[in-house]
């Protein structure tokens, strides 16, 4: 298993590189609806903002190579927490620099490797860190249904039942422009007595939650005919699309 080795100096440089070079050149827009620092109920049923050291497990659909860089940018821009990402071991070996950003590995083909990764995840949560998981276990098209989770997320929550689970959906698409637009939505936090459920039951339950959120997210974008949702926070405003450059040039010619 490959552990994360965060580097503040590397993160400062990479955050700027990711924002201004990678994402802004590749996408027309990237927006977030909802909060990665959600409000959670206290013992009296009141909603209180999460503390920076509140352990949270974010579970998200995984439909493109860019998802890790997108969630990293969203967390850096909007969250007070310290975020880590569970990443497939083969990919992390190929892109080892992700370790400096908080990525650590899981080898789903090795039972001992899975146990070690789950124990490391438990250590991160116990230290007040926040962990991102792609429970589908592989990159799948965002239209693939049903959404089925591997039991690993259930094992994580059973081992650390104090954790809050937050569903996050990503929709990639091109609507009125030739550059993709990315819409991220953070759903309502889920707090439960995780030890009362089997890991497979937790995985199935959260899979249904994410599938419903993704379907509603997608339907809202289709209904609006655009790539972002109302009241969403702009995480990047990227390069103008070819059509926008053409329209501007035409306006100048017609003046």
């Amino acid at each position: 298993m490959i552990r994360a080795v965060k580097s503040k100096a590397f993160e400062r440089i990479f955050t700027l590189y990711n924002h201004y070079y990678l994402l802004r050149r590749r996408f027309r827009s990237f927006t977030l609806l909802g909060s990665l620092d959600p409000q959670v109920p206290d013992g009296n049923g009141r909603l209180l903002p999460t503390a920076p050291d509140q352990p949270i497990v974010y579970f998200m659909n995984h439909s493109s190579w860019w998802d890790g860089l997108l969630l990293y940018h969203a967390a850096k821009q909007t969250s007070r927490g310290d975020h880590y990402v569970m990443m497939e071991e083969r990919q992390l070996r190929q892109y080892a620099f992700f370790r400096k950003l908080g990525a650590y590995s899981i080898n789903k083909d090795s039972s001992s490797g899975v146990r070690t990764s789950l124990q490391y995840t438990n250590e991160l949560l116990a230290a007040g860190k926040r962990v991102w998981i792609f429970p589908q276990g592989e990159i799948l098209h965002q239209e693939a249904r049903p959404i089925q989770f591997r039991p690993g997320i259930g094992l994580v929550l059973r081992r650390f039942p104090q954790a809050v689970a937050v569903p996050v959906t990503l929709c990639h698409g091109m609507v009125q422009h030739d550059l993709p637009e990315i819409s991220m939505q953070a759903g309502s936090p889920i707090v439960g007595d995780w030890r009362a459920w089997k890991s497979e039951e937790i995985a199935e339950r959260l899979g249904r939650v994410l599938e419903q959120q993704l379907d509603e997210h997608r339907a809202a974008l289709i209904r609006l005919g655009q790539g972002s949702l109302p009241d969403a926070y702009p995480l990047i405003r990227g390069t103008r699309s070819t059509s926008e450059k053409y329209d501007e040039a035409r306006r100048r010619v017609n003046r």
Side-chain angles (χ1 to χ4, degrees):
M1 184 229 154
I2 306 171
R3 291 176 170 246
V5 284
K6 278 197 169 186
S7 165
K8 291 184 179 180
F10 183 81
E11 281 198 84
R12 282 195 295 269
I13 296 171
F14 186 84
T15 297
L16 296 174
Y17 176 71
N18 189 42
H19 184 179
Y20 291 103
Y21 184 81
L22 293 178
L23 299 183
R24 288 189 64 180
R25 287 166 58 93
R26 181 65 178 82
F27 302 106
R28 182 179 179 273
S29 67
F30 176 28
T31 58
L32 169 65
L33 184 67
S35 176
L36 298 180
D37 292 344
Q39 293 185 325
V40 294
D42 65 4
N44 299 316
R46 296 172 300 182
L47 291 177
L48 299 176
T50 51
D53 59 352
Q54 168 69 50
I56 294 178
V57 175
Y58 303 90
F59 57 103
M60 191 172 81
N61 61 302
H62 196 11
S63 55
S64 89
W65 183 89
W66 290 93
D67 293 347
L69 295 175
L70 291 166
L71 72 84
Y72 176 81
H73 181 70
K76 276 293 182 183
Q77 291 290 309
T78 68
S79 176
R80 299 179 298 156
D82 190 9
H83 294 249
Y84 288 74
V85 182
M86 184 186 289
M87 186 173 177
E88 202 276 322
E89 188 163 306
R90 179 181 55 81
Q91 290 189 341
L92 187 54
R93 290 190 185 280
Q94 184 176 358
Y95 303 104
F97 69 89
F98 279 121
R99 297 180 66 198
K100 297 181 180 181
L101 306 176
Y104 64 99
S105 77
I106 183 168
N107 181 358
K108 58 181 181 291
D109 298 321
S110 166
S111 57
S112 62
V114 169
R115 286 194 299 270
T116 303
S117 295
L118 293 178
Q119 178 57 41
Y120 182 62
T121 302
N122 190 76
E123 293 171 9
L124 292 173
L125 294 171
K129 309 302 182 182
R130 301 183 178 186
V131 174
W132 290 77
I133 297 177
F134 300 111
Q136 291 168 287
E138 58 183 325
I139 297 177
L140 295 170
H141 195 283
Q142 64 186 11
E143 302 299 332
R145 297 293 186 277
I147 289 181
Q148 295 179 318
F149 286 176
R150 296 175 183 267
I153 188 170
L155 292 170
V156 168
L157 292 171
R158 278 180 54 81
R159 284 170 172 242
F160 203 86
Q162 310 95 303
V164 176
V166 175
V168 180
T169 48
L170 267 184
C171 286
H172 302 245
M174 292 187 290
V175 184
Q176 301 180 29
H177 305 277
D178 59 288
L179 288 174
E181 297 177 276
I182 307 298
S183 176
M184 174 182 277
Q185 182 173 351
S188 300
I190 303 171
V191 180
D193 183 9
W194 302 115
R195 285 181 178 168
W197 299 66
K198 295 180 180 179
S199 57
E200 295 81 2
E201 293 172 333
I202 295 172
E204 183 180 355
R205 176 188 173 191
L206 296 185
R208 290 197 303 267
V209 168
L210 195 75
E211 182 173 318
Q212 180 179 350
Q213 181 174 311
L214 184 57
D215 286 345
E216 293 174 354
H217 187 175
R218 171 183 173 276
L221 293 170
I222 292 174
R223 185 172 61 252
L224 293 167
Q226 58 190 49
S228 62
L229 298 173
D231 302 320
Y233 178 78
L235 295 169
I236 63 164
R237 292 186 177 90
T239 303
R240 291 176 302 160
S241 65
T242 300
S243 60
E244 290 173 308
K245 294 176 181 177
Y246 174 77
D247 290 341
E248 181 180 349
R250 186 175 59 180
R251 285 194 299 269
R252 290 179 178 177
V253 169
N254 293 334
R255 283 178 182 174

